[in-house]
Amino acid sequence: MDTSQLLKGVLDLAVLAVLRKEDGYGYDVLRRLRQGGLDGVGDASVYGTLRRLYNAGLLTSYVVPSEEGPHRKYYSLNEPGRARLLESGKTWKSFAQALDDLLGEGA
Amino acid sequence: MNTQTNTEVQHYLDAMREALSDLPAAEVGEIMDDAGAHVVEVAEEMGDEFTLAALTDRLGTPQAYAQELRAAADYPAPAPAAPTSIQPMLVARFALWSLVAGTVMAFAFATSRGDGEGLTLLVGLVAAVGALLVFRQKGLLADISRLPETVALNEALQRAERSEPLRVFLTSLRAWQPAWWVGRALLIAGVGMLAYRVRSPIVLVLIVLAALSLLAGPKAKTDRRWLWISLPATGFAIGGLLLVLASMTSWLDYRPSSSPVSYTTSTRVPDNIYVFDKDGKPLTDVHLYDEDGQPLNTPWHGCNGSPFRDDNRFPRPQVVHDENGCREIPGVPPFTIVIPGAAPTVTTTPVTGQPSVTSTGQPSVTSTAPPPTQSVPPTAVVPTS
C-alpha cells in the first residue's frame, strides 16, 4: 500500500477507530480493517502503524498467553489515544466534506 | 504446523529479523513478538496448502515485509549494507563451529563423567565467546545462515524432513518439547550435582546452564541465537542421560547369584601348611613368603596358656580337644606322601583332621634361583591312621 503521509494519517485513524470499542492483537486489527472495507491495507503496514502509535504513547499493550501457537500482544486505546482519535476524526470529516464539495455531483 | 512448515516459517522470520537488525534490539524483539506471531498465524491458516512460495505471495518477501513495516512505523531507513568482506564470514564461521564444538564437548564431558576438564574449559570458553558474538553482533546470524556449510545443513534437514516416517516422528517429538525443556534442565543440574563435588565451580556453571537452557527452549523457536545455549545444553543432557542409563543397566545386570566368583589377589593362607622335601620327608619350622617378600602370616590360637601367634612359621602345632582337655601336637603332618623315587615317610601322629595335601610354591625373598619348572606331585596320599 502507498504509505504517503496522507494515507499514513488515514491508517492511523482507522487503527485507532477499530480499537475504540474493543482491544485487539495485530491480526485482529487487520481483520477488522478488512471487514470494514479497507481491503488494500498491507499486513506489514498495520503492524508498523501499531508500533508507531504505541511508541507515540497512544496505545498500551499487554500479552495474552496462548495454549496453541505464539502468545498474542493485545493493544488497547489509552486516554491520549482517545483524544487523538477524536481530533483526527474531526479533521478527517471536514477534509472529506471539502473533497466531496470539490467533486460535486460529477463524481 | 508440521516441521517442514515450521522450518520454512523460521527461515522467513530469520530473514525478517535480519532486515530489521539495524534497529534497537528491544524494538526488534517487540516487532518479532508481534509480526512474528502474525507470520506464524498466517502459515497455520494455510494448513496443508502452505508453501514458502504461498507465504511469500501472501505477505511479500521477508525483506519487503520488513521494509513496509519500517515505512509505516516511521523507523529510519536501514544503512546501506556494507560489502561482504572476508571478516564477517570468518566471524560467522567461528561462531558456527564454536557451537558445534561446544555441543560435542558438552556431550563428551557428560558421558566421560567429567574427564578432560582442561580441554572442556577451553572449548567451553570458545563456545561462550561464539554465543556472545551471536547475541551482540547484529547481522551475524544472517552471515551464519549464508555460510555454505549452513546452507548444506539446512538443505539436508529439509530433505530429511520430506521423508514421511521421519516427519511423523518429529511431529510427535514436538508435542513433548516443553517436557523435554524441563527434563533437560533437571538432567543438567542433577547429573552435575551427582557427578561432581557440590562445591565444585563446575556445578555452578552447570546450574547456570540448566537455568539458561530452560529459557532457551521456547526462545529458540523464534530466535535462533538461543541455539547457542540450547544445543550445548542438549548435548550435555543427552550425554548425562546415557551415563545415567548405563549406570542403571549395570546396576540391573548385577546378580550376586550369577556373578562369576571373583578371585581376589589377597592371599588366604590355610590354617596349616605341611611342607615335604624331594624325598617326601616333612619339613618343620618353614617360613613362608609371597612373591613380594611379604610374610604369609596367619593367626594361631593354641590351648589356654599358649601365647597367641600371628606369624609365617609352618607347620603349626595341631590343637586337639578331647576328654583329656586341650593338647598341642607338634606340627608334623597327619599323613604320609609317596614321591617317586623316595621312601615313604611315616609319622605317628594321630589324625584329627581330614588328610590334605597342600602344594605350595615357596619363593624365597633372597633366592635368585628360578623356581622348578615342573613340580612332581605326590603319587599317593596315605593317612597315617
Side-chain angles (χ1 to χ4, degrees):
Chain A
M1 177 175 178
D2 187 356
T3 47
S4 68
Q5 285 306 316
L6 173 68
L7 285 173
K8 201 182 273 186
V10 172
L11 193 53
D12 283 7
L13 186 56
V15 168
L16 291 171
V18 297
L19 287 172
R20 181 183 45 196
K21 286 182 183 164
E22 199 185 345
D23 299 352
Y25 60 98
Y27 207 7
D28 221 9
V29 172
L30 185 65
R31 285 197 194 103
R32 290 182 209 171
L33 290 172
R34 290 196 174 145
Q35 281 162 4
L38 295 178
D39 297 335
V41 68
D43 300 47
S45 297
V46 173
Y47 282 92
T49 303
L50 282 168
R51 287 308 306 163
R52 187 162 44 80
L53 295 175
Y54 173 82
N55 286 331
L58 304 176
L59 301 176
T60 52
S61 78
Y62 55 93
V63 173
V64 175
S66 155
E67 284 296 318
E68 67 278 340
H71 299 335
R72 286 170 173 163
K73 187 187 285 175
Y74 277 73
Y75 289 95
S76 61
L77 219 52
N78 56 15
E79 274 316 304
R82 286 181 198 287
R84 170 69 64 88
L85 175 60
L86 203 65
E87 179 196 339
S88 297
K90 282 179 188 163
T91 309
W92 172 258
K93 278 176 179 160
S94 64
F95 175 79
Q97 186 63 57
L99 207 58
D100 269 352
D101 292 347
L102 280 172
L103 291 167
E105 298 295 313
Chain B
M1 198 174 0
N2 65 32
T3 1
Q4 171 75 14
T5 309
N6 193 46
T7 309
E8 288 178 338
V9 167
Q10 190 58 61
H11 287 174
Y12 191 98
L13 293 177
D14 284 347
M16 205 168 119
R17 178 186 289 276
E18 171 55 22
L20 298 164
S21 62
D22 59 298
L23 299 174
E27 190 63 26
V28 176
E30 293 279 353
I31 297 168
M32 292 310 294
D33 279 353
D34 221 358
H38 170 234
V39 173
V40 170
E41 204 163 348
V42 168
E44 279 174 347
E45 277 180 358
M46 291 180 173
D48 292 341
E49 287 164 24
F50 173 89
T51 60
L52 190 57
L55 185 71
T56 309
D57 277 350
R58 167 84 168 71
L59 298 175
T61 63
Q63 293 75 15
Y65 189 109
Q67 184 51 44
E68 188 185 329
L69 193 146
R70 263 176 189 283
D74 271 354
Y75 292 131
T84 304
S85 65
I86 191 93
Q87 198 192 349
M89 284 297 133
L90 271 179
V91 176
R93 194 152 272 155
F94 168 80
L96 174 69
W97 288 101
S98 73
L99 169 65
V100 173
T103 304
V104 170
M105 199 71 221
F107 175 80
F109 186 66
T111 46
S112 67
R113 287 176 195 256
D115 276 356
E117 278 186 27
L119 180 64
T120 307
L121 187 68
L122 186 70
V123 174
L125 281 174
V126 168
V129 170
L132 211 61
L133 279 171
V134 170
F135 274 92
R136 297 291 303 269
Q137 197 169 318
K138 287 180 176 139
L140 184 56
L141 208 56
D143 287 342
I144 292 169
S145 67
R146 280 198 294 269
L147 288 172
E149 51 263 51
T150 320
V151 172
L153 179 70
N154 273 330
E155 283 172 357
L157 284 175
Q158 283 177 24
R159 268 200 305 277
E161 282 171 3
R162 283 189 199 114
S163 79
E164 193 56 35
L166 190 69
R167 192 186 312 173
V168 170
F169 172 69
L170 288 173
T171 309
S172 61
L173 265 192
R174 280 168 52 76
W176 291 95
Q177 260 186 333
W180 165 241
W181 296 332
V182 175
R184 179 172 66 185
L186 290 176
L187 262 170
I188 294 168
V191 169
M193 284 183 185
L194 287 174
Y196 309 104
R197 294 189 312 279
V198 174
R199 299 178 67 171
S200 156
I202 293 176
V203 175
L204 191 66
V205 170
L206 288 174
I207 287 172
V208 170
L209 181 66
L212 278 174
S213 79
L214 205 55
L215 195 65
K219 287 258 190 195
K221 283 169 81 90
T222 53
D223 183 350
R224 295 203 154 186
R225 294 175 307 173
W226 285 92
L227 287 177
W228 270 253
I229 306 289
S230 72
L231 282 183
T234 298
F236 187 88
I238 290 176
L241 188 62
L242 288 179
L243 186 69
V244 170
L245 289 177
S247 309
M248 282 173 71
T249 312
S250 62
W251 180 73
L252 287 172
D253 281 352
Y254 176 68
R255 298 266 188 287
S257 56
S258 65
S259 64
V261 179
S262 72
Y263 293 97
T264 55
T265 51
S266 66
T267 316
R268 198 198 77 77
V269 182
D271 292 340
N272 218 340
I273 291 173
Y274 298 102
V275 186
F276 297 84
D277 69 7
K278 65 180 174 47
D279 300 321
K281 184 168 157 263
L283 303 178
T284 53
D285 285 346
V286 177
H287 290 75
L288 298 184
Y289 290 87
D290 68 6
E291 69 274 18
D292 301 319
Q294 296 298 320
L296 297 173
N297 291 347
T298 61
W300 179 81
H301 301 273
C303 293
N304 289 343
S306 293
F308 167 75
R309 279 171 54 184
D310 184 16
D311 58 18
N312 64 336
R313 194 154 48 91
F314 293 91
R316 305 307 183 51
Q318 275 184 272
V319 180
V320 178
H321 295 273
D322 55 17
E323 62 277 6
N324 300 323
C326 178
R327 289 180 295 128
E328 290 177 17
I329 300 161
V332 287
F335 50 82
T336 58
I337 61 164
V338 179
I339 289 176
T345 309
V346 181
T347 60
T348 53
T349 320
V351 180
T352 53
Q354 282 294 92
S356 63
V357 172
T358 311
S359 165
T360 314
Q362 196 183 336
S364 153
V365 191
T366 52
S367 162
T368 52
T373 51
Q374 191 183 5
S375 60
V376 184
T379 52
V381 176
V382 186
T384 49
S385 56

